[in-house]
Amino acid sequence: MGLSVTLQSPDVGPVYLDYNATAPTRPEALEATLAAMRTVGNASSTHQSGRDAADRVHLARRQVAYLLSCSPGEIIFTSGATEANNLALRAAFAVGGRLVTSAVEHPAVLETAKALTIDAPGSLLTLPVDADGAVDLDGFHAALVAGGVAVVSLMAANNETGVLTDLAPIVQLAHDAGVLVHSDATQLVGRLPIDLAETDLDLLSLSAHKFGGPQGVGALFVRRGIRLPYRPLLFGGGQERGWRAGTLNVAGIAGAGAAAEAARLSMADEAFRIACLRDALEEALVEQVGDCRINGARNRRLPGVTSITFPGTPADAVLAAMPDVAASEGSACSSGAPSPSHVLLAMGRSREEADSTIRFSLGYATTAHDIERAVSSTVHAVRLVQEAMSVAS
Ligand code: PMP
């Protein structure tokens, strides 16, 4: 049965530039999810229906593993990156020692780290970042020299700015000191290559909906052979080798696998095309608005992300004045909360600058026409808000 999905923003609907919040579902993922939902069977059952469900999970595990260049047995399916981060940090911290992370991590890491270390004062070290969002490696090195570190958790790509972390030297330094390395790679996976056969991470978290899979499904990579105390979040059946009890979300997992495969096959072309569109968006905004600033160095960012500060122009007012563009203030997880972006503050921006920043995130279905529409709406909205503010002052 044929399925049709609207992947490109029609002129009548809003231009969707919020891929870092969630990407539109890829048609391959939709097909695989629906196909799995049309059949019955618990992946743990031993009869034919159960084996069919288990086959779908098996295929998806291989597809996700292939995307990461790891082995299928190293993938634990979860409800998303939040759960994967919780699981990873909980198990690694139980090794005993300090937990090191950075000031720009997603709340799924920062809040987990705080909760785990609440009864052990001094056991959490949060590394600062520079004005471009790069983690302070000297601080990391000093922490390793001081000793007693159990695990370091650093994100592969930042969800608000797209700034990339150069993981290879971090892994090297950490492993030389016998320290485990976890990376929240939620924003990187499916957008840029990651090769776990090369980059020797111990633990990695991902979420399917960021690369065109369904929401509510993700995975934790746990490198074979690493020694971790058994610390599940959920107790129950022995699914996922005891790491994650509960009936498997077969449909979601099947969709995650199909999305991983589609992303892997198109990644090289997509990354280049998306980076060109992102650059066009930035250049047009800089030229037409004049007074604006891009956060994070261009050559160290995800291809599809731009975080732009329009000084003195509140982002909430600008976004309200451009309802035909779906973009966001900082991250979706913190939007709605009155506090400014902790990421931009950590990069040395003022509260006012952080509140005047918009994140556009592009993806596989973004077109040149979308960018033209987004530029004209944004320029119009910024001018409107600036005029209203100058009249009011
Ligand atoms: N980490 C990062 C970097 C993210 O961007 C997100 C999603 N915003 C998460 C973790 C949480 O992912 P999920 O919603 O799938 O739990």
Side-chain angles (χ1 to χ4, degrees):
M1 177 186 162
L3 285 167
S4 75
V5 196
T6 305
L7 286 179
Q8 280 157 16
S9 320
D11 267 1
V12 282
V15 177
Y16 189 79
L17 296 182
D18 208 8
Y19 278 69
N20 278 19
T22 198
T25 310
R26 290 183 187 263
E28 298 87 344
L30 193 56
E31 291 269 9
T33 302
L34 289 178
M37 289 190 84
R38 283 196 193 99
T39 61
V40 102
N42 183 320
S44 302
S45 301
T46 51
H47 49 63
Q48 186 57 45
S49 302
R51 285 203 300 277
D52 286 349
D55 284 348
R56 292 180 199 276
V57 172
H58 181 64
L59 172 65
R61 207 183 294 282
R62 290 180 48 188
Q63 288 168 321
V64 171
Y66 204 31
L67 178 65
L68 304 176
S69 300
C70 67
S71 120
E74 293 172 311
I75 298 295
I76 293 158
F77 284 115
T78 64
S79 63
T82 300
E83 185 185 339
N85 285 338
N86 272 264
L87 203 50
L89 294 186
R90 189 170 143 93
F93 185 62
V95 166
R98 289 203 298 161
L99 196 165
V100 178
T101 188
S102 87
V104 294
E105 298 297 312
H106 188 273
V109 164
L110 284 178
E111 295 304 319
T112 306
K114 274 192 225 160
L116 286 170
T117 56
I118 198 157
D119 295 325
S123 58
L124 175 61
L125 173 65
T126 308
L127 298 169
V129 297
D130 67 16
D132 279 337
V135 175
D136 172 24
L137 275 189
D138 291 342
F140 177 49
H141 193 245
L144 292 178
V145 170
V149 178
V151 56
V152 57
S153 177
L154 295 172
M155 68 201 321
N158 187 272
N159 47 305
E160 293 190 30
T161 59
V163 169
L164 301 169
T165 305
D166 188 5
L167 290 169
I170 288 161
V171 172
Q172 182 73 52
L173 280 172
H175 283 179
D176 287 350
V179 169
L180 291 167
V181 189
H182 165 252
S183 184
D184 175 357
T186 306
Q187 295 290 351
L188 185 92
V189 171
R191 278 122 181 226
L192 284 179
I194 179 146
D195 184 342
L196 290 171
E198 283 266 312
T199 307
D200 202 14
L201 288 166
D202 301 295
L203 299 148
L204 173 144
S205 306
L206 63 88
S207 188
H209 71 103
K210 306 294 183 181
F211 54 84
Q215 297 180 357
V217 54
L220 175 66
F221 156 83
V222 182
R223 186 171 294 283
R224 180 174 293 132
I226 63 162
R227 296 226 306 271
L228 285 177
Y230 182 63
R231 281 285 190 282
L233 285 162
L234 306 173
F235 295 91
Q239 291 92 345
E240 299 299 88
R241 292 180 285 118
W243 276 88
R244 212 278 177 174
T247 301
L248 289 181
N249 170 10
V250 178
I253 290 170
E261 180 70 356
R264 184 182 67 77
L265 292 172
S266 52
M267 190 183 297
D269 292 343
E270 273 176 12
F272 181 68
R273 192 184 67 80
I274 293 166
C276 292
L277 291 176
R278 189 271 316 269
D279 292 350
L281 172 68
E282 287 183 355
E283 278 155 26
L285 290 177
V286 169
E287 191 189 307
Q288 293 179 47
V289 177
D291 187 17
C292 58
R293 171 179 180 178
I294 316 285
N295 298 300
R298 174 176 289 187
N299 57 359
R300 277 208 2 255
R301 279 184 290 144
L302 281 176
V305 188
T306 187
S307 159
I308 308 191
T309 306
F310 300 100
T313 318
D316 55 352
V318 175
L319 289 170
M322 46 188 260
D324 57 337
V325 179
S328 79
E329 285 174 72
S331 73
C333 303
S334 58
S335 61
S339 53
S341 152
H342 69 285
V343 173
L344 295 170
L345 295 186
M347 289 166 70
R349 308 296 186 268
S350 66
R351 185 187 172 127
E352 201 210 10
E353 285 169 324
D355 287 343
S356 308
T357 300
I358 295 179
R359 176 189 72 182
F360 298 93
S361 47
L362 293 56
Y364 69 90
T366 307
T367 63
H369 184 55
D370 288 338
I371 298 304
E372 281 163 26
R373 286 181 61 201
V375 168
S376 100
S377 295
T378 309
V379 171
H380 178 73
V382 168
R383 287 194 186 133
L384 215 64
V385 173
Q386 288 176 344
E387 275 162 27
M389 293 193 56
S390 69
V391 169
S393 64

